[in-house]
Amino acid sequence: MAKPVETVETPAAEGHDKQAWPLWEVFVRSSRGLSHVHAGSLHAPDSEMAVRNARDLYTRRNEGVSLWVVPASAIVASDPDAKGEFFESPKGKDYRHATYYTKSEGVKHL
């Protein structure tokens, strides 16, 4: 069903161990929106440095108001080849959709 996202190893710079710094996924929340959007990836030795590097790399022109950095190894994704089975709506659970409910007269803002 769900499996960890595979990481791509990048060639190491001369004199540096390619496993020394883990890969971090960066999500930026723009000033115009409420949700964080994946902006890219970067390598950093720890979470504090990942946030600082993400700020410098992905918000140079004040594009964001919030950053998330997540270790790429912590991300689990569904299998795109099994999307039909995975995202299929469960049978017999029509109550999850509000099509059968009526609006009460005294309730506003529905």
Side-chain angles (χ1 to χ4, degrees):
M1 181 92 101
K3 60 182 179 180
V5 174
E6 296 178 19
T7 57
V8 178
E9 292 185 14
T10 56
E14 189 174 327
H16 292 88
D17 181 10
K18 66 181 174 181
Q19 297 297 332
W21 288 4
L23 183 66
W24 298 81
E25 299 300 327
V26 179
F27 298 84
V28 178
R29 180 179 156 205
S30 70
S31 58
R32 289 175 270 147
L34 295 178
S35 60
H36 286 75
V37 177
H38 184 255
S41 306
L42 56 82
H43 289 276
D46 56 34
S47 60
E48 184 179 333
M49 186 61 79
V51 169
R52 289 179 183 205
N53 289 347
R55 177 200 59 205
D56 295 343
L57 189 60
Y58 295 108
T59 63
R60 288 179 279 186
R61 296 178 193 93
N62 295 323
E63 296 101 344
V65 295
S66 175
L67 286 172
W68 289 349
V69 292
V70 181
S73 61
I75 295 177
V76 178
S78 63
D79 182 5
D81 295 331
K83 74 175 186 173
E85 307 159 6
F86 189 73
F87 292 106
E88 185 177 322
S89 181
K91 305 278 189 270
K93 296 193 177 182
D94 293 332
Y95 61 87
R96 291 185 175 182
H97 304 286
T99 57
Y100 297 105
Y101 299 105
T102 57
K103 181 179 175 183
S104 297
E105 291 182 28
V107 178
K108 297 180 180 179
H109 307 296
L110 281 182

